[in-house]
């Protein structure tokens, strides 16, 4: 099936980035969220990011205008019924994603592939909520989506080879690099990354070093472009906590226990860059 119209559910950081790259590559995008203000903010962000690409001569001003015209903001999920492919990019909580997948399964034609941008939640569990488990797959983009090349393509237990190939080829058309991963808590990226960030948080909590010192060690000693605590702030400390809890629940190993300092900071509303305060002030 030729994919021309793409639905994106969730207009936050990841959703607007996904809508951006699909529209830039020539697809018509229906960007769906629950409130108009989220859609307005997403379109503003996409416009600014496209402007940045124009400034860097990656696209022309005409390319930018054409891409924006291909994005239709919608509040009703029912309008996604005409799409040939849908990506869910909602918050990293199973209950929220489960409700969305049940609804999309009802709305979309049986042959439509439903993908999740989840960074840690089981594709198999999401697929089991639908009548098309063979057409459910993980398509985990990385932030910032227009810049980062990697896409983890995650097979659920029932995901068909045809579905995998469709998403693999689609990622290539978006000028991304798809990497095949099997379904497991955190997949590869966050199963390895999040415990690193979590352990960095422990070193701060235990007084081993300041956040600045921890990050400097990784930038100068391991050639990381950004330190683990600055990266955690960039990702969102609430997102880090959600993923650590998925790892802890899914793998049952105490080494995945979220750092108490992380829990305290999230409880206090210190979520990183998006709240203006995390391990650093913004």
């Amino acid at each position: 099936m030729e994919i021309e119209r793409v639905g994106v559910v969730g207009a936050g950081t990841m959703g607007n980035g996904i809508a951006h790259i699909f529209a830039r590559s020539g697809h018509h995008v229906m960007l769906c969220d629950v409130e108009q203000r989220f859609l307005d903010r997403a379109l503003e962000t996409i416009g600014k990011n496209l402007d940045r690409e124009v400034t860097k001569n990656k696209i022309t001003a005409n390319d930018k205008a054409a891409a924006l015209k291909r994005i239709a903001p919608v509040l009703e999920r029912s309008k996604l019924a005409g799409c040939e492919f849908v990506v869910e990019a909602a918050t990293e909580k199973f209950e929220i994603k489960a409700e969305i997948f049940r609804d999309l399964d009802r709305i979309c034609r049986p042959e439509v592939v439903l993908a999740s941008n989840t960074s840690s939640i089981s594709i198999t569990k999401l697929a089991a909520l639908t009548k098309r488990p063979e057409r459910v797959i993980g398509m985990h983009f990385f932030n910032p989506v227009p810049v980062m090349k990697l896409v983890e393509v995650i097979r659920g237990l029932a995901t068909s080879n045809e579905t995998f190939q469709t998403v693999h080829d689609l990622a290539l058309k978006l000028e991304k690099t798809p990497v095949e991963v099997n379904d497991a808590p955190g997949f590869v990226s966050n199963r390895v990354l999040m415990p690193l960030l979590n352990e960095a948080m422990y070193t701060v909590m235990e007084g081993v070093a300041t956040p600045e010192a921890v990050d400097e060690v990784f930038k100068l000693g391991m050639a990381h472009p950004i330190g683990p605590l600055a990266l955690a702030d960039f990702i969102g400390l609430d997102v880090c906590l959600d993923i650590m809890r998925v790892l802890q629940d899914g793998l049952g190993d105490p080494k995945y226990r979220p750092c108490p300092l992380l829990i305290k900071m999230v409880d206090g509303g210190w979520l990183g860059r998006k709240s203006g305060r995390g391990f650093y002030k913004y």
Side-chain angles (χ1 to χ4, degrees):
M1 178 174 57
E2 187 69 23
I3 296 173
E4 295 181 357
R5 293 164 296 179
V6 174
V8 179
V9 181
T13 300
M14 298 305 293
N16 74 58
I18 293 167
H20 173 145
I21 61 169
F22 271 106
R24 189 181 62 192
S25 69
H27 295 84
H28 293 279
V29 180
M30 302 202 81
L31 181 58
C32 183
D33 212 317
V34 294
E35 291 187 37
Q36 187 63 44
R37 62 190 177 100
F38 298 147
L39 294 170
D40 292 342
R41 185 170 60 195
L43 290 173
E44 181 182 357
T45 299
I46 293 168
K48 288 178 179 177
N49 289 336
L50 287 168
D51 280 335
R52 191 174 292 117
E53 292 179 346
V54 172
T55 301
K56 294 180 178 179
N57 293 318
K58 292 184 176 180
I59 63 172
T60 67
N62 287 339
D63 292 333
K64 174 201 167 180
L68 287 174
K69 283 182 180 178
R70 294 189 196 104
I71 302 173
V74 298
L75 293 170
E76 301 83 18
R77 281 188 209 147
S78 59
K79 292 186 177 179
L80 303 178
C83 294
E84 289 93 22
F85 185 83
V86 181
V87 183
E88 167 274 317
T91 189
E92 196 69 1
K93 294 186 183 297
F94 177 75
E95 296 77 13
I96 292 172
K97 292 184 184 292
E99 186 274 326
I100 292 171
F101 267 80
R102 289 190 188 98
D103 206 25
L104 291 176
D105 188 46
R106 177 184 61 80
I107 292 166
C108 298
R109 288 167 290 159
E111 67 271 21
V112 172
V113 170
L114 304 179
S116 176
N117 181 59
T118 180
S119 57
S120 61
I121 291 170
S122 171
I123 300 302
T124 301
K125 283 181 69 176
L126 291 174
L129 301 171
T130 74
K131 296 176 181 176
R132 65 183 86 196
E134 73 284 355
R135 291 187 177 85
V136 175
I137 194 166
M139 196 177 191
H140 179 209
F141 292 89
F142 288 73
N143 187 30
V145 179
V147 176
M148 300 293 280
K149 291 293 186 183
L150 175 63
V151 176
E152 279 185 312
V153 181
I154 304 110
R155 288 180 180 266
L157 186 63
T159 303
S160 69
N161 290 333
E162 180 184 2
T163 296
F164 174 82
Q165 197 60 50
T166 295
V167 174
H168 178 276
D169 294 347
L170 189 55
L172 292 176
K173 289 178 183 176
L174 296 172
E175 299 182 349
K176 301 299 183 185
T177 302
V179 176
E180 181 177 357
V181 177
N182 288 320
D183 194 16
F187 316 129
V188 171
S189 56
N190 281 323
R191 181 167 177 175
V192 176
L193 174 63
M194 284 300 158
L196 167 64
L197 305 190
N198 198 54
E199 197 63 28
M201 296 170 194
Y202 270 109
T203 65
V204 173
M205 186 184 77
E206 295 168 1
V208 177
T210 64
E212 293 82 359
V214 172
D215 283 351
E216 201 73 358
V217 166
F218 276 84
K219 288 189 289 184
L220 298 181
M222 290 80 173
H224 287 202
I226 183 173
L229 299 172
L231 178 57
D233 276 355
F234 179 72
I235 293 168
L237 299 185
D238 52 337
V239 176
C240 293
L241 179 57
D242 286 342
I243 295 171
M244 285 305 300
R245 284 173 167 159
V246 168
L247 292 173
Q248 184 181 34
D249 293 344
L251 297 168
D253 192 315
K255 72 181 179 181
Y256 298 110
R257 182 173 70 97
C259 176
L261 177 59
L262 172 62
I263 297 171
K264 184 183 293 185
M265 291 173 75
V266 172
D267 286 346
W270 293 16
L271 308 181
R273 281 182 178 270
K274 60 187 170 186
S275 69
R277 182 71 185 266
F279 285 95
Y280 299 92
K281 289 183 180 179
Y282 301 92

